[in-house]
Amino acid sequence: MVTIFIDNVPYEVKPGKNLLEACLTLGMNLPYFCWHPAMGSVGACRQCAVKVFKDEADTKGKLTMSCMEPVRDGMRLSINEADAVEFRGHIIEWLMTNHPHDCAVCDEGGSCHLQDMTVMTGHNYRRYEYQKRTYRNQYLGPFLNHEMNRCIQCYRCVRFYKDYAGGNDLDVFAAHNHIYFGRSEDGVLESEFSGNLAEVCPTGVFTDKTLKQHYTRKWDLTMAPSVCHHCSVGCNITAGERYGTLRNIVNRYNGEVNGYFLCDRGRFGYEFVNNPGRVRKALVRSQLPEAVTPVTAVQEAVAILRTGRAIGIGSPRASLESNYALRTLVGEENFHHGIADNDHDLACLVLKILKEGPARTFSLKEIETADAVFILGEDLTNTAPMLALAVRQSIRQQPLQQVAQAKIPLWQDAAARELIQDQKGPLFIATFTDTKLDEVATATYHASPDTIARLGFAVAHYLSDSAPEMTDLTEDEQVLAQQIAMALRSAKKPLVISGCSSGSEAILKAAANVATALFEQNPATGISLTVPECNSMGLAMMGGHKMDSAFEAVQNGYADTVIILENDIYRHACKTKVDEFLNSAKQVLVLDHTHTANTEKAAILLPAGTFAEADGTLVNHEGRAQRFYQVYPTPEDIEESWRWLTDLGTVMAHPQMSNWHNIDDIKQAMAQELVQFRGVEAITPPANFRVAGQKIARESHRFSGRTAMFANQSVHEPKPPEDPDSPLSYTMEGFHGEAPAPVNPFFWYPGWNSAQSVNKYQEEVGGHLHHGDPGLRLIEPPKESKIHYFTVIPEHFQPIRNHLYMLPLYHIFGSEEQSAQAPAIAQRIPEPYVALSRADAMELDKQEGQVLTFSIEGIVYQLQVRIDDNLTKGTAGLPKGLAGVPFAEMPAWAILNKEEPSWKNQPQIIS
């Protein structure tokens, strides 16, 4: 620690920081625009000026931009000195000369960093009376609105979009006071992280277009801490509601997970919650809809369960609590994972590798600091986008060593980037076809799953003689494997990334071997393995049987009733098998929030809450358990799935479930029964937690219109609903200070209304939240792990005549079930297609856009051809999860139809 003097008061601060960081960490209010804790300093706005003095005797001092000045022991400065205050006032006035001052109609109003800094600087009145510069705004796609007239030229947008996220289609044009931030022409922003511009921009230049459709000021939102449900990374989010509809999603800072950013799927995929066709009322097929109430629905369900033998189909998108409640209701022996059998095996293998292997799973924050990365079989941008963003930061680690040697602080972003130019650290990618990360990779390798696995096994052997040996590599493969091994061995903090999306156990085992071989030499080695859905890891940890065993249980007469929990099993198994399974069942009970093919088969349908209407816990891909909270109560029949199941158990006098009264009771029971979940019950404060005797308010102290909102129903203010499951209240009454991080509903501080207010909640700027980040790691490698290698190496891939080896391809927009129903996301979903290698297209005499007919497990597909130059001959790609593409368990051999239909240019799908 070093001592600095601010306005003659001594403070201890960390060395290596700049003055702005130090002042903000100390809780002082110092205005700024261009600086961002994740992107460092460029000194573009000049707003953070302070007076720095040579020594105690110096009374004159000099104006210095605090974001560009490193702290030094004994340093003396003043924030409140008259010259500094006057200079900052001139700067803000200059920045505001062309600003339209349209706060009343600006979407950023009330959560605007420019408003905060203007007030903080004391700029109260305009003196500029001349014509303002004006711009034509651009269409940037369905996610963001563009209003360039509000720009103050801070450069944050292009620094994030180009430098941090690697985008190529947003730039800065012109010069002086005519600078324009946008695209060269109107068009959809291509980056999967473009939505962060709405939070990165300190003004209203880039705003959330989905919020604009149902706009509400920030202070009028009911908010709660939550977790993104659209992939396995588990990014922390804050969800906001008004008038019973979810209005927007913003980033919730977590220093170990997503930090300051979100991907576009996580930010804009929320509108499935507002779908007018959602399941909102309980349904009993044997009764008229108007006669069904939640009570009668439960009674009918209990009557069915008492007369038959039930099995439960769990869900990787449902909470731990809901899955555990179903497991308890039907019994451990009757609980089945509602996923494809191959996905079940892969998730169990991932869990085994993480629990028994020596290498530790890296958090997202740790991935950013890895200095050599090897990716096997995973298209991260489309399966785990925030992992891809973290990898983009990792490739800077080795070049940044030059910056440190040149004695340039790492936060000096402009100087650091000028020194390293286009240098990149080692990143090696082995996948079926090209990925967005290929553009920053040291080397890429495109091949079939088995061939990718063989490369991984070869790298492991080059790293350690204990790993199984590969003897039949081509010369090029040997050179590449040696190059990868050398780069990983030379790294201080190497990382191996793989996952389940390839559908290949061999690839996962190869990745595990590489990590193990590296760990023998370097205990700082990390591994990261993705899983398919938001709670796939939690489901794997809970244990359960495969889907096929559920099919057999019903078809063999072992069970006659099926309970399906928040799961469209048509997405996880062949349609003919699922049809036969559901038709064989005497009764089908479904709990879900969205209508699917399952709900059409349900004898009883119970409306479940979405993540915005429910409490629960998810376990992300690294084994981190995190709690999400109900944002708003629902006036209809909707309840959390675990509450429906608890109601069923209580009516049936289940000895355990009868004692569950809230979610805390379920977590306690789960942690007591299943040792792997010990600690989950304590990751958040219990429901009876209070601060100064008060619950924590979900609404800000400025919340307005509470009575007027529903004046069409009653002019009397109703009693606010109560929340028995959390220490949060559904009102503006309650505690408004800093709550514990896991239950803090939003970031706000006096004078800091924007997203920048998170600075006030951190131990140090850009660091952990006070008292630690939310969540608990449930999976850690054993302290004394035996070195174990997988020894079965796959054979060379061999094409088969009249067949194609069909591989799964993923799309960030469309492959994930729930976000695909959001209107903004739907505009970005590609049409169904089949990808062919150029060699196969020529052999089959197919041109781009023509139709290819093939079948997988009896399902006939007729899809338009896309030619992909990176696919290996004999392999093809089929989009996973896109509407209109029936489920196929991939990789799988597809049989080519010899005769083309007469309508060969009309794409169709025949189930």
Side-chain angles (χ1 to χ4, degrees):
M1 302 293 281
V2 297
T3 300
I4 62 174
F5 295 84
I6 304 176
D7 290 312
N8 295 318
V9 178
Y11 297 93
E12 284 194 342
V13 298
K14 275 189 176 182
K17 303 291 185 181
N18 63 48
L19 282 179
L20 177 58
E21 287 182 273
C23 291
L24 293 173
T25 296
L26 291 170
M28 297 177 179
N29 291 336
L30 184 57
Y32 63 90
F33 288 114
C34 64
W35 176 81
H36 189 282
M39 297 184 288
S41 306
V42 292
C45 71
R46 326 303 288 171
Q47 187 61 65
C48 62
V50 296
K51 204 67 168 291
V52 175
F53 303 92
K54 293 179 182 178
D55 50 40
E56 195 172 354
D58 182 10
T59 57
K60 187 175 182 181
K62 66 174 182 178
L63 286 170
T64 302
M65 302 309 120
S66 61
C67 72
M68 302 296 287
E69 186 72 15
V71 298
R72 298 185 301 275
D73 195 28
M75 181 177 225
R76 308 187 79 88
L77 67 137
S78 173
I79 295 174
N80 300 319
E81 201 271 343
D83 287 348
V85 172
E86 183 182 11
F87 181 85
R88 296 197 296 264
H90 287 314
I91 290 295
I92 193 69
E93 186 172 25
W94 170 70
L95 291 174
M96 295 288 284
T97 53
N98 287 297
H99 192 278
H101 294 263
D102 59 343
C103 301
V105 296
C106 176
D107 295 353
E108 197 82 356
S111 56
C112 176
H113 186 61
L114 176 60
Q115 284 180 328
D116 291 344
M117 299 300 99
T118 304
V119 172
M120 187 181 295
T121 312
H123 176 60
N124 298 320
Y125 298 98
R126 285 186 287 178
R127 295 188 297 171
Y128 186 77
E129 299 175 352
Y130 309 100
Q131 185 173 356
K132 290 179 179 281
R133 169 211 64 209
T134 57
Y135 289 117
R136 183 187 70 82
N137 301 315
Q138 290 184 316
Y139 169 76
L140 299 178
F143 298 152
L144 289 175
N145 194 62
H146 189 229
E147 178 52 79
M148 255 305 295
N149 294 315
R150 298 172 183 150
C151 183
I152 58 167
Q153 299 89 45
C154 73
Y155 286 86
R156 269 194 187 183
C157 56
V158 293
R159 290 180 60 219
F160 169 78
Y161 196 90
K162 292 179 63 179
D163 297 343
Y164 195 93
N168 299 312
D169 60 320
L170 181 82
D171 215 325
V172 54
F173 303 93
H176 307 300
N177 67 335
H178 295 288
I179 288 176
Y180 189 91
F181 296 94
R183 290 170 49 91
S184 58
E185 59 183 8
D186 285 24
V188 177
L189 286 172
E190 296 169 3
S191 173
E192 294 78 9
F193 309 100
S194 64
N196 291 294
L197 296 176
E199 287 188 54
V200 166
C201 176
T203 75
V205 177
F206 300 98
T207 53
D208 183 341
K209 186 178 282 188
T210 67
L211 173 62
K212 199 176 187 70
Q213 310 308 315
H214 43 213
Y215 185 70
T216 300
R217 294 292 187 195
K218 178 181 178 180
W219 63 75
D220 280 335
L221 290 170
T222 300
M223 290 173 274
S226 193
V227 177
C228 180
H229 279 54
H230 300 312
C231 81
S232 65
V233 174
C235 294
N236 287 205
I237 57 174
T238 295
E241 172 269 349
R242 180 83 165 175
Y243 285 105
T245 60
L246 198 59
R247 298 300 173 101
N248 77 328
I249 296 292
V250 296
N251 177 69
R252 180 166 65 103
Y253 181 88
N254 185 314
E256 285 296 329
V257 190
N258 50 300
Y260 290 93
F261 306 120
L262 295 173
C263 76
D264 286 353
R265 182 166 69 190
R267 186 180 295 274
F268 301 112
Y270 68 91
E271 285 197 282
F272 76 93
V273 173
N274 304 324
N275 189 331
R278 269 190 54 196
V279 182
R280 298 186 182 276
K281 293 288 185 182
L283 171 69
V284 177
R285 296 286 181 192
S286 60
Q287 298 183 15
L288 294 173
E290 56 269 22
V292 178
T293 66
V295 173
T296 59
V298 168
Q299 290 172 343
E300 288 291 324
V302 168
I304 290 172
L305 293 174
R306 279 178 171 159
T307 58
R309 188 180 182 96
I311 60 171
I313 305 293
S315 171
R317 63 172 164 88
S319 67
L320 280 182
E321 291 82 359
S322 293
N323 277 295
Y324 178 70
L326 178 59
R327 180 182 183 271
T328 305
L329 182 67
V330 300
E332 178 184 357
E333 68 282 0
N334 296 318
F335 178 69
H336 302 260
H337 291 183
I339 57 179
D341 284 2
N342 190 44
D343 287 343
H344 178 281
D345 292 340
L346 291 170
C348 291
L349 178 58
V350 166
L351 185 60
K352 174 184 172 68
I353 292 170
L354 298 185
K355 287 177 65 176
E356 299 178 8
R360 184 176 182 273
T361 302
F362 278 4
S363 68
L364 236 63
K365 188 67 174 178
E366 290 172 304
I367 290 173
E368 292 180 359
T369 62
D371 56 351
V373 180
F374 184 24
I375 302 174
L376 291 96
E378 202 70 20
D379 181 0
L380 292 178
T381 306
N382 287 307
T383 60
M386 287 299 292
L387 265 176
L389 188 63
V391 168
R392 286 186 180 273
Q393 313 322 308
S394 74
I395 62 172
R396 301 185 66 219
Q397 296 308 306
Q398 283 198 19
L400 284 176
Q401 293 174 17
Q402 302 173 40
V403 176
Q405 292 167 6
K407 297 185 178 179
I408 298 173
L410 296 182
W411 47 260
Q412 280 268 20
D413 191 61
R417 291 185 184 278
E418 183 68 22
L419 179 61
I420 66 176
Q421 296 290 312
D422 294 328
Q423 296 180 57
K424 299 176 180 67
L427 169 62
F428 299 93
I429 303 176
T431 49
F432 309 153
T433 184
D434 63 318
T435 73
K436 275 283 191 81
L437 287 176
D438 287 4
E439 64 188 11
V440 294
T442 307
T444 58
Y445 182 73
H446 301 131
S448 68
D450 285 350
T451 307
I452 290 170
R454 290 170 60 82
L455 175 68
F457 279 107
V459 171
H461 180 69
Y462 282 125
L463 288 166
S464 172
D465 291 337
S466 302
E469 183 177 4
M470 287 282 299
T471 56
D472 53 350
L473 293 173
T474 66
E475 185 176 342
D476 288 344
E477 289 171 339
Q478 287 181 12
V479 170
L480 178 59
Q482 289 173 344
Q483 182 188 5
I484 295 171
M486 187 178 302
L488 294 173
R489 184 185 289 116
S490 302
K492 296 177 181 177
K493 197 174 181 181
L495 170 66
V496 181
I497 298 178
S498 188
C500 298
S501 71
S502 66
S504 170
E505 284 193 9
I507 287 180
L508 281 171
K509 291 175 179 177
N513 275 16
V514 175
T516 300
L518 269 173
F519 185 86
E520 282 191 67
Q521 305 165 33
N522 184 354
T525 297
I527 189 170
S528 182
L529 304 176
T530 68
V531 288
E533 298 192 52
C534 61
N535 205 23
S536 293
M537 184 63 76
L539 196 62
M541 293 176 66
M542 186 169 291
H545 303 295
K546 294 184 179 181
M547 184 96 83
D548 272 357
S549 64
F551 295 170
E552 292 170 3
V554 169
Q555 288 158 7
N556 295 336
Y558 173 79
D560 55 16
T561 301
V562 178
I563 305 175
I564 301 175
L565 169 66
E566 296 185 40
N567 196 339
D568 180 2
I569 57 177
Y570 284 92
R571 292 177 63 91
H572 299 284
C574 176
K575 182 179 184 299
T576 54
K577 286 185 177 181
V578 177
D579 283 342
E580 186 179 354
F581 166 60
L582 295 179
N583 292 335
S584 299
K586 185 177 178 182
Q587 301 285 357
V588 177
L589 279 64
V590 175
L591 298 90
D592 211 337
H593 45 71
T594 304
H595 280 292
T596 66
N598 298 331
T599 61
E600 300 301 318
K601 307 273 188 179
I604 296 178
L605 177 59
L606 302 178
T610 64
F611 76 95
E613 301 148 342
D615 294 87
T617 306
L618 302 178
V619 181
N620 76 349
H621 74 283
E622 59 170 313
R624 186 183 301 273
Q626 300 182 108
R627 171 83 180 268
F628 61 93
Y629 285 90
Q630 187 170 357
V631 184
Y632 57 100
T634 54
E636 300 158 289
D637 295 351
I638 298 170
E639 289 187 348
E640 295 102 324
S641 292
W642 55 260
R643 196 180 298 280
W644 281 116
L645 293 164
T646 300
D647 290 346
L648 294 175
T650 300
V651 175
M652 294 177 69
H654 190 285
Q656 188 176 7
M657 301 179 79
S658 299
N659 297 318
W660 294 350
H661 303 293
N662 64 14
I663 195 169
D664 288 346
D665 294 336
I666 300 177
K667 288 198 295 183
Q668 289 283 355
M670 180 172 62
Q672 189 172 3
E673 180 184 352
L674 303 176
V675 65
Q676 61 269 37
F677 294 121
R678 294 275 165 84
V680 165
E681 73 281 9
I683 61 174
T684 57
N688 60 8
F689 176 82
R690 299 291 184 272
V691 180
Q694 296 179 303
K695 279 198 162 195
I696 299 155
R698 282 180 170 90
E699 298 167 355
S700 79
H701 62 285
R702 296 184 293 171
F703 189 88
S704 64
R706 185 165 63 190
T707 303
M709 285 168 63
F710 302 106
N712 60 320
Q713 301 171 23
S714 172
V715 295
H716 303 287
E717 184 173 324
K719 178 184 177 182
E722 295 182 1
D723 185 356
D725 301 304
S726 82
L728 300 170
S729 72
Y730 288 116
T731 70
M732 62 187 291
E733 287 81 22
F735 180 72
H736 284 285
E738 183 178 353
V743 290
N744 192 46
F746 49 83
F747 294 125
W748 180 87
Y749 193 84
W752 297 80
N753 298 283
S754 74
Q756 313 302 315
S757 58
V758 71
N759 296 334
K760 300 294 186 180
Y761 293 77
Q762 296 167 326
E763 293 175 357
E764 61 175 320
V765 173
H768 298 292
L769 294 172
H770 292 156
H771 312 299
D773 297 306
L776 173 68
R777 282 281 293 260
L778 300 176
I779 302 174
E780 295 289 352
K783 293 180 180 178
E784 295 184 4
S785 175
K786 290 184 178 180
I787 298 299
H788 166 76
Y789 288 100
F790 294 100
T791 58
V792 179
I793 299 174
E795 298 294 327
H796 286 285
F797 171 72
Q798 296 292 338
I800 300 177
R801 184 174 175 78
N802 293 325
H803 290 69
L804 288 171
Y805 195 50
M806 200 61 66
L807 306 175
L809 301 180
Y810 291 80
H811 292 272
I812 182 173
F813 306 123
S815 290
E816 195 276 324
E817 178 184 4
Q818 296 177 102
S819 62
Q821 300 172 54
I825 296 288
Q827 295 182 48
R828 300 289 303 276
I829 297 175
E831 293 296 321
Y833 67 92
V834 59
L836 293 182
S837 70
R838 190 166 295 277
D840 285 319
M842 291 178 64
E843 189 173 294
L844 296 169
D845 192 24
K846 291 295 178 183
Q847 303 292 326
E848 186 97 14
Q850 288 186 324
V851 172
L852 180 72
T853 303
F854 58 94
S855 62
I856 303 174
E857 293 185 354
I859 302 294
V860 178
Y861 299 77
Q862 293 168 345
L863 297 171
Q864 284 189 340
V865 167
R866 281 192 191 176
I867 296 176
D868 188 329
D869 290 322
N870 294 295
L871 281 171
T872 303
K873 187 178 188 307
T875 68
L878 188 64
K880 186 88 170 181
L882 290 194
V885 181
F887 170 85
E889 195 161 3
M890 295 181 282
W893 286 103
I895 303 172
L896 296 172
N897 285 26
K898 294 181 179 179
E899 295 183 6
E900 292 291 346
S902 59
W903 34 264
K904 96 187 262 187
N905 289 316
Q906 299 296 319
Q908 295 187 26
I909 299 166
I910 303 174
S911 300

